[in-house]
Amino acid sequence: MAPIRLALPGDGLSVEALARVALGMDVVPPALAAAIDQHGGHLRVPHGRATVLVACAPGDAAVIALSYSCPPVRLIGELADLGGPVQRRAAQTLRELELLAVAEHARGTGVGTALLAASEEHLRQGGCKLVFAKVRQGDRQVLRWYRRRGYLPATPHEPVRVSLGGAVITFDDGGDGYQLVVKSLDATTRVARMMASAGSYLTVARRASPVTPQVTGQ
């Protein structure tokens, strides 16, 4: 299996190339590559720190996959009216998986699944409770891939409601041609779809406790 590690100074060009593939762009702004070459896989961003993990080809130093996760900067900024404690709670417990990219020649080998699992574990250890990513609307293959790994896809424009220390926040895909996939990283909860008069929404629900079989003596 491909070794997975934090990005290191010197990985910038490899990360930039993978980001170009993931974003479908001929040119990617060089800021990410430059930041990685200066700071490695822990990058300062508004409201916290972003993490860049990479997978390398077995027996080789070549970077073949990357994940980039960070606090949901735009969402946290929109919570300013709710006060600093709510913003800090959001920064602590929510993460957006902004990029997950695998080099073409390495697809189908399981490296993407391994990198996603490693990213989730890294986030969980840092206190993250809920992670979400954006998938291009109608990309059934990618949506199915995330669903098989425990993510619940939201329909386009379907909101997600989360309780943060007594305040309930709501966010959605932003109407930019993508839709959300959402997963709880807390073993005691799951993401569920709820129905309301205004339509459906996703929220975090407590997992049902396993039923303990009753043993009756003879």
Side-chain angles (χ1 to χ4, degrees):
M1 181 56 68
I4 295 172
R5 59 169 171 78
L6 274 172
L8 298 172
D11 287 334
L13 287 178
S14 298
V15 167
E16 183 178 340
L18 285 167
R20 188 180 301 120
V21 171
L23 297 172
M25 301 168 62
D26 292 330
V27 178
V28 174
L32 178 59
I36 289 171
D37 281 338
Q38 183 174 1
H39 302 290
H42 284 149
L43 306 176
R44 284 191 173 277
V45 297
H47 308 294
R49 189 172 65 175
T51 300
V52 184
L53 296 182
V54 298
C56 300
D60 194 346
V63 174
I64 58 173
L66 83 97
S67 73
Y68 175 92
S69 58
C70 62
V73 175
R74 186 180 67 178
L75 170 61
I76 295 171
E78 293 171 351
L79 301 178
D81 290 347
L82 296 178
V86 173
Q87 287 183 299
R88 287 190 291 274
R89 180 71 172 167
Q92 178 185 7
T93 60
L94 304 179
R95 283 294 183 276
E96 181 174 1
L97 185 62
E98 284 203 356
L99 282 174
L100 181 67
V102 179
E104 245 183 278
H105 70 274
R107 293 174 188 172
T109 64
V111 65
T113 298
L115 183 58
L116 179 63
S119 299
E120 291 173 352
E121 182 57 29
H122 187 89
L123 294 176
R124 187 181 291 109
Q125 290 181 6
C128 177
K129 302 294 185 183
L130 192 75
V131 61
F132 65 91
K134 283 187 170 184
V135 175
R136 197 177 302 276
Q137 280 186 25
D139 193 334
R140 295 182 180 178
Q141 182 177 359
V142 175
L143 289 169
R144 187 162 51 247
W145 188 87
Y146 274 106
R147 186 187 288 275
R148 288 173 177 168
R149 287 150 185 84
Y151 288 74
L152 182 60
T155 59
H157 310 297
E158 186 176 30
V160 180
R161 295 183 186 175
V162 182
S163 177
L164 294 175
V168 177
I169 67 167
T170 301
F171 62 96
D172 60 20
D173 52 48
D176 56 0
Y178 290 80
Q179 60 194 95
L180 299 179
V181 292
V182 191
K183 181 178 181 178
S184 171
L185 298 185
D186 182 347
T188 67
T189 64
R190 62 186 179 88
V191 177
R193 175 168 284 106
M194 307 296 288
M195 300 303 298
S197 57
S200 64
Y201 62 93
L202 303 188
T203 191
V204 177
R206 183 70 56 180
R207 290 186 184 275
S209 299
V211 176
T212 303
Q214 297 294 318
V215 179
T216 304
Q218 296 294 325

